[in-house]
């Protein structure tokens, strides 16, 4: 077994391992918290710093003087101003905050991009992805490790085609990101729901019944006594998941479960930052207004924004 084969088997073992009896598998995709700190500007702006830069970037603030901090914040503002009209709107600030919070996704895409853009043309075709990921399976159609790679490849191809907006079977970096992280893209949410239902729907009737719902997140493993959280999940299924009370979850009910309409913390924070910094109350911010309130955005300490600026080039 070569290295690629070993790594795939390792990831599959992790993905397909049954939950331990006391553990709960969570299929719900929630927006991450902007910060684990209390949002109380009367005490500190730590929450705002985490939200604006991401917690890891915010930790590096101690290196620069206030003057250096203001200078680098000004460079960040130029990146946030997407249409280059000299103003930062709530929507532009919201998009930046979401980028900062999900920087790990872009880092993951960069790592995988290098391994799949085989001809280094700045694009990843389905053939390139298939050959890099499943090449050895095509050479050995009956592997002895027990996994159905052909079925996985068909599923991947379906998702790749969904991510590929223009249908040319060649993915740009944005389309490749949608392929790898479909839950982050509105137009990919149907495929997230479809794949989830296929995983849980053991009798293949296109619906999820109560026992399939529980069986996905909990394995009895010979234990007759269910934990309290399992009993609660049974109640949740009957009272909230199965909205039409037919005993099963259809596509729309499954979507409401795994992709809930969460409160938009990024938009709330963007509106807060604009409100606090908008000196002339025109509903948008100039670079000067942001830099004047630099302690709200980046604090009186400062940070090395170099990585943020480089990573944001693809944003």
């Amino acid at each position: 077994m070569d290295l690629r084969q070993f790594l795939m088997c390792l990831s599959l073992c992790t993905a397909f391992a049954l939950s331990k009896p006391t553990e709960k598998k969570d299929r719900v995709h929630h927006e991450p918290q902007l910060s684990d700190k209390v949002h109380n500007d009367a005490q500190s702006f730590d929450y705002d710093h985490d939200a604006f830069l991401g917690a890891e970037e915010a930790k590096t603030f101690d290196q620069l003087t206030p003057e250096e901090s203001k200078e680098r914040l000004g460079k960040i503002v130029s990146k946030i101003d997407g249409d280059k009209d000299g103003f930062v709107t709530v929507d532009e600030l919201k998009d930046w905050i979401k980028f900062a919070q999900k920087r790990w996704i872009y880092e993951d895409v960069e790592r995988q991009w290098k391994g799949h853009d085989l001809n280094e043309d700045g694009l990843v075709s389905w053939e390139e992805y298939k050959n890099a990921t499943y090449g050895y399976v095509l050479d050995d159609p009956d592997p002895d490790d027990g996994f159905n790679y052909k079925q996985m490849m068909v599923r991947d191809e379906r998702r790749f085609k969904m991510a590929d907006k223009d249908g040319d079977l060649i993915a740009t970096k944005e389309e490749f990101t949608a392929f790898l992280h479909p839950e982050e893209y509105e137009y990919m949410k149907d495929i997230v729901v479809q794949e989830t239902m296929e995983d849980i729907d053991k009798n293949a009737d296109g619906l999820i019944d109560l026992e399939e719902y529980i069986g996905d997140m909990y394995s009895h493993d010979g234990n007759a006594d269910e934990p309290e959280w399992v009993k609660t999940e049974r109640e949740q299924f009957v009272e909230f998941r199965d909205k039409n009370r037919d005993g099963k979850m259809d596509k729309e009910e499954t979507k409401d479960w795994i992709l809930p309409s969460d409160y938009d913390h990024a938009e709330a924070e963007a509106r807060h930052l604009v409100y606090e910094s908008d000196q002339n109350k025109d509903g948008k911010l100039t670079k000067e207004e942001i830099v004047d309130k630099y302690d709200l955005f980046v604090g009186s300490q400062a940070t090395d924004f170099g990585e943020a600026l480089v990573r944001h080039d693809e944003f």
Side-chain angles (χ1 to χ4, degrees):
M1 179 181 292
D2 63 22
L3 179 60
R4 190 193 309 142
Q5 205 169 354
F6 171 76
L7 291 174
M8 174 168 279
C9 288
L10 183 63
S11 65
L12 287 170
C13 288
T14 302
F16 287 97
L18 291 174
S19 301
K20 294 179 181 179
T22 56
E23 293 180 349
K24 178 181 177 181
K25 182 190 295 183
D26 189 6
R27 288 192 178 269
V28 181
H29 299 279
H30 290 292
E31 285 290 316
Q33 290 186 342
L34 300 185
S35 174
D36 59 3
K37 300 179 176 66
V38 176
H39 195 184
N40 185 350
D41 287 356
Q43 294 183 355
S44 77
F45 295 131
D46 289 345
Y47 178 98
D48 302 297
H49 300 165
D50 285 357
F52 184 68
L53 291 170
E56 291 304 313
E57 291 289 331
K59 289 177 182 177
T60 63
F61 267 45
D62 295 336
Q63 309 306 315
L64 303 178
T65 66
E67 290 72 24
E68 290 170 325
S69 178
K70 291 178 182 180
E71 180 183 354
R72 298 199 178 199
L73 175 58
K75 294 178 181 178
I76 285 283
V77 173
S78 297
K79 293 286 184 179
I80 300 173
D81 179 17
D83 58 12
K84 306 304 179 187
D85 66 349
F87 297 97
V88 170
T89 64
V90 169
D91 284 341
E92 287 173 331
L93 196 50
K94 178 183 71 173
D95 288 344
W96 167 264
I97 290 171
K98 288 188 174 183
F99 166 80
Q101 295 297 317
K102 296 176 180 178
R103 189 174 284 119
W104 68 271
I105 289 177
Y106 300 100
E107 292 172 346
D108 175 57
V109 171
E110 286 297 329
R111 283 192 297 269
Q112 299 211 41
W113 185 265
K114 295 174 183 176
H116 291 96
D117 181 14
L118 302 181
N119 64 2
E120 299 183 348
D121 65 346
L123 299 166
V124 173
S125 68
W126 167 246
E127 286 300 315
E128 283 179 309
Y129 181 82
K130 181 178 69 174
N131 290 333
T133 306
Y134 297 105
Y136 68 92
V137 179
L138 301 177
D139 295 334
D140 180 11
D142 189 26
D144 57 5
D145 55 30
F147 288 113
N148 190 337
Y149 293 107
K150 286 290 183 67
Q151 184 176 343
M152 290 175 58
M153 186 169 67
V154 169
R155 180 161 159 160
D156 270 356
E157 184 175 11
R158 181 182 64 190
R159 189 198 285 190
F160 193 97
K161 288 179 177 178
M162 179 71 74
D164 176 30
K165 285 186 172 182
D166 58 11
D168 61 358
L169 286 180
I170 299 174
T172 63
K173 190 166 287 187
E174 185 71 11
E175 290 169 335
F176 194 62
T177 304
F179 168 69
L180 294 176
H181 299 278
E183 69 283 352
E184 302 296 333
Y185 290 81
E186 189 65 36
Y187 79 101
M188 294 292 290
K189 288 187 176 179
D190 283 347
I191 201 75
V192 175
V193 175
Q194 183 177 357
E195 290 178 0
T196 301
M197 293 189 75
E198 289 172 351
D199 289 343
I200 302 175
D201 176 23
K202 300 306 181 185
N203 63 8
D205 66 349
L207 300 165
I208 298 174
D209 62 35
L210 175 58
E211 292 311 312
E212 288 170 332
Y213 174 79
I214 294 298
D216 178 63
M217 62 181 68
Y218 170 74
S219 173
H220 285 274
D221 200 24
N223 187 357
D225 296 326
E226 292 182 343
E228 281 300 316
W229 69 262
V230 177
K231 297 176 182 177
T232 300
E233 283 296 337
R234 289 185 181 277
E235 295 171 0
Q236 290 283 318
F237 182 94
V238 173
E239 295 297 324
F240 303 106
R241 309 278 185 247
D242 177 22
K243 291 179 168 35
N244 62 6
R245 301 292 193 271
D246 67 349
K248 299 180 179 182
M249 287 197 299
D250 59 23
K251 180 179 177 180
E252 287 305 312
E253 289 168 330
T254 302
K255 185 175 182 179
D256 288 344
W257 166 44
I258 66 172
L259 297 168
S261 299
D262 288 341
Y263 175 74
D264 195 332
H265 294 279
E267 181 171 356
E269 176 65 9
R271 291 188 181 280
H272 166 67
L273 293 174
V274 169
Y275 177 81
E276 294 295 333
S277 309
D278 185 13
Q279 296 174 12
N280 62 3
K281 302 304 177 186
D282 63 352
K284 52 190 176 183
L285 302 179
T286 63
K287 181 183 291 188
E288 290 73 21
E289 286 175 322
I290 292 175
V291 173
D292 283 348
K293 290 284 290 185
Y294 82 100
D295 58 331
L296 173 64
F297 290 87
V298 298
S300 56
Q301 308 88 358
T303 186
D304 180 2
F305 289 100
E307 286 188 331
L309 290 171
V310 170
R311 291 168 183 161
H312 192 257
D313 285 343
E314 293 294 337
F315 171 69

